[in-house]
Amino acid sequence: MTETTRRQMLTAATLGTAAVLGATPGIAAEAQPKPAKQNPRDKYPKPPFEPQRQPWPGLASQMKPRPDHGETSYIGSGRLRGRKALITGGDSGMGRAAAIAFAREGADVAINYLPAEEADAREVVDLIHRAGQKAVPLTGDLRSAPFCRQLVDRAVSALGGLDILVCNAARQQSIASILDVTDEEFDQTMKTNIYAPFWMIKAAVPHMEPGSVIIGTTSEQAYDPSPDLYAYAQTKAATMNYVKSLAKQLGAKGIRVNGVAPGPIWTPLQVSGGASQGKLVTFGATTPLGRPGQPVELAGIYVRLAEDDGSFTTGNIYGAGGGQGQP
Amino acid sequence: MSKDPALRTPARLLALALGVCVLSPAIAQETGSRQTRDFVQSLAQSDTFEILAAQSALAQSSDRDVRGFAQMMITDHTAMDRLLSDSAAKAGLAPPVKAIGADQALLLNGLGGLTGPEFDKTYLQQQALAHRSALAEAQTYAASGDNAVMRSVAKTAAQAISAHVAMVEPVLGKAAAR
């Protein structure tokens, strides 16, 4: 890790450890005192950010500053002990924050990612191992129905079952005019964001016992779309909607279905075409907190929706919007 | 901007400031590459935003530094906008649409209710961010744009905008210290 955010250095200093990746408080760290109350405005990096551009899908490890997925800060307390989870897009961003948190809460975790994301995925596998849990890396592109079905089967057999499915992977490209959205681009967005969850949930439900959960990553874009995110925003509206219909349908089986709606979050999606250069430099500036969110700020939401204590929550969308008013 | 009399009336300015007239980039004519059209529109939006925000500053601030900076923004961005429109015509591109982007509308809305030092601080913070954002767009196009006429506009814009960044940061420091 070449980039160390101020927050990470502070955390590392607080914990009395030098190496950032090396210091991973797991379940055993429960007894540590909670850090002092912090002003949410000052907790993480603020714009302006350095202009930067990576080819799709982008790597968290190459971002400046590096996103915080909870590597040094998330402390578990056994809330998901013995669970088996599959997370798409688990190599970076919110999927990675969920993977780290799930493992530190005692779950075994399979992650899916694209071959180009191998470097990020290797870090996540290492973090899951350090939490004392089983990690199952499953690489491949979700735009194919046979692959999605195979992905679920491989996760089920490697983990010995499936209790938590997080459909999180997404394609996002900022394109100012609909006249510039190619059929290929539109298709790639729809396949990744809408078809893949359909194929995966369909394959997963027969393996899920009562008490299992499905979590979809939606967005504030579902409710208040940006003009340049025409294709992406409508897939997030679809996600918000399938969460509600499937919750009604799967309630009978005792399977809960919920969504997580982030505001602007500092992830590789944004530096690999999801935001224009100009927007990236001021990313998060328009939120009332004056900064973008970090993936770790959503980790607790994924855990909450997955754990048994949240047993009456289904068909709901939980947000981390920075004050922009959604969901 | 000054060529369009409709934009000069206070009511129209207010409508723009309230985000009533937020448009996404022009889609009427598709001349030039997507990269070039996006750059032209982004620079036009940035000029329009700078002029509107400066109008707010002249109406709402009594600080001499802030008013001086705002006056300069009106002069410089009006000139930049004219250069952009003329160059777009010269390059055979569709004329840029005089409108602000969705994020800029949020910033302008945020200025609306503020007065005194609170206004000054917020205006200057926004200016620092908005100019860095515009600078990133202009430098990117200047380095890799595919239209020579617009590359030269981007170079001119990048120079003016970096001068504005260098100017606003010390004023912001002064305002934040108050």
Side-chain angles (χ1 to χ4, degrees):
Chain A
M1 180 185 287
T2 50
E3 276 291 323
T4 304
T5 65
R6 200 164 56 110
R7 158 77 180 159
Q8 285 170 329
M9 289 196 291
L10 282 173
T11 309
T14 310
L15 297 174
T17 50
V20 173
L21 264 178
T24 49
I27 296 169
E30 279 172 64
Q32 288 186 355
K34 291 206 166 183
K37 184 167 74 179
Q38 269 183 286
N39 184 336
R41 299 183 62 84
D42 304 329
K43 203 169 165 187
Y44 292 106
K46 295 178 199 183
F49 296 105
E50 261 180 70
Q52 52 198 292
R53 178 79 203 233
Q54 292 185 41
W56 176 264
L59 289 173
S61 49
Q62 305 290 314
M63 287 176 71
K64 293 171 270 179
R66 245 185 102 117
D68 186 343
H69 309 88
E71 286 88 346
T72 62
S73 57
Y74 192 92
I75 297 173
S77 55
R79 287 158 75 186
L80 300 175
R81 195 163 282 139
R83 298 298 158 80
K84 303 160 200 317
L86 168 59
I87 305 171
T88 65
D91 57 297
S92 68
M94 288 160 305
R96 174 175 179 150
I100 293 169
F102 283 7
R104 292 192 188 162
E105 296 292 357
D108 290 335
V109 184
I111 58 167
N112 159 258
Y113 53 94
L114 291 167
E117 296 166 319
E118 185 67 40
D120 277 357
R122 252 182 264 140
E123 293 181 356
V124 178
V125 165
D126 186 47
L127 287 158
I128 296 169
H129 285 155
R130 282 165 190 260
Q133 298 300 136
K134 185 172 194 175
V136 182
L138 298 167
T139 182
D141 194 321
L142 296 168
R143 289 177 294 161
S144 123
F147 175 75
C148 285
R149 290 192 277 266
Q150 192 192 61
L151 175 62
V152 170
D153 287 345
R154 281 160 66 196
V156 167
S157 63
L159 296 169
L162 188 64
D163 307 303
I164 304 166
L165 172 62
V166 181
C167 294
N168 166 75
R171 166 119 178 137
Q172 175 187 329
Q173 290 289 292
S174 161
I175 302 176
S177 165
I178 187 174
L179 302 186
D180 289 319
V181 178
T182 61
D183 288 1
E184 291 70 27
E185 175 56 41
F186 191 78
D187 186 64
Q188 188 170 353
T189 307
M190 296 299 138
K191 287 274 163 54
T192 309
N193 302 8
I194 296 182
Y195 275 79
F198 163 63
W199 291 322
M200 292 189 59
I201 293 168
K202 200 170 160 180
V205 164
H207 297 285
M208 295 182 122
E209 292 169 355
S212 299
V213 300
I214 296 166
I215 302 171
T217 300
T218 171
S219 169
E220 59 167 3
Q221 292 292 326
Y223 308 87
D224 184 15
S226 298
D228 56 329
L229 296 179
Y230 159 76
Y232 171 82
Q234 61 181 295
T235 69
K236 296 289 114 176
T239 303
M240 177 272 286
N241 195 275
Y242 87 61
V243 160
K244 291 171 190 283
S245 65
L246 283 183
K248 291 175 183 168
Q249 192 184 117
L250 299 178
K253 293 184 186 292
I255 298 172
R256 294 186 295 115
V257 188
N258 291 291
V260 179
I265 308 295
W266 189 245
T267 70
L269 208 65
Q270 307 300 342
V271 300
S272 58
S276 65
Q277 280 299 309
K279 200 167 171 179
L280 197 64
V281 169
T282 54
F283 197 65
T286 56
T287 70
L289 293 181
R291 64 168 177 88
Q294 292 292 327
V296 65
E297 295 181 278
L298 291 102
I301 299 179
Y302 286 94
V303 171
R304 175 62 187 166
L305 295 176
E307 72 176 344
D308 250 13
D309 279 3
S311 43
F312 201 59
T313 302
T314 189
N316 292 123
I317 309 292
Y318 277 26
Q324 297 205 101
Q326 309 292 348
Chain B
M1 158 136 215
S2 56
K3 280 182 186 164
D4 183 353
L7 276 174
R8 283 201 204 132
T9 66
R12 188 58 188 270
L13 281 174
L14 186 65
L16 276 169
L18 292 174
V20 175
C21 185
V22 178
L23 295 178
S24 48
I27 52 174
Q29 280 182 334
E30 296 296 311
T31 44
S33 68
R34 175 183 156 203
Q35 181 197 29
T36 296
R37 283 180 281 115
D38 285 355
F39 167 67
V40 168
Q41 199 48 45
S42 127
L43 190 56
Q45 288 182 350
S46 147
D47 288 334
T48 308
F49 169 74
E50 288 303 336
I51 292 164
L52 287 170
Q55 300 279 14
S56 300
L58 292 180
Q60 288 168 255
S61 175
S62 49
D63 183 274
R64 216 166 50 151
D65 290 343
V66 171
R67 294 179 66 85
F69 180 78
Q71 193 57 61
M72 175 180 277
M73 290 309 103
I74 293 178
T75 309
D76 286 6
H77 284 280
T78 302
M80 224 185 284
D81 190 53
R82 191 170 303 125
L83 172 69
L84 176 67
S85 293
D86 294 350
S87 306
K90 193 170 132 198
L93 301 166
V97 176
K98 318 274 182 183
I100 54 172
D103 282 356
Q104 291 161 333
L106 286 173
L107 296 179
L108 277 184
N109 285 346
L111 286 179
L114 302 176
T115 51
E118 269 309 300
F119 175 91
D120 295 342
K121 215 176 104 185
T122 307
Y123 171 67
L124 294 168
Q125 274 168 348
Q126 288 187 1
Q127 286 299 300
L129 288 169
H131 277 94
R132 279 185 181 272
S133 169
L135 185 60
E137 298 276 13
Q139 284 176 336
T140 303
Y141 194 90
S144 64
D146 59 12
N147 181 302
V149 176
M150 297 320 296
R151 264 203 316 275
S152 132
V153 173
K155 269 181 211 133
T156 308
Q159 274 166 7
I161 296 166
S162 15
H164 295 168
V165 171
M167 215 173 295
V168 75
E169 283 174 353
V171 188
L172 172 60
K174 246 170 92 180
R178 272 200 288 271

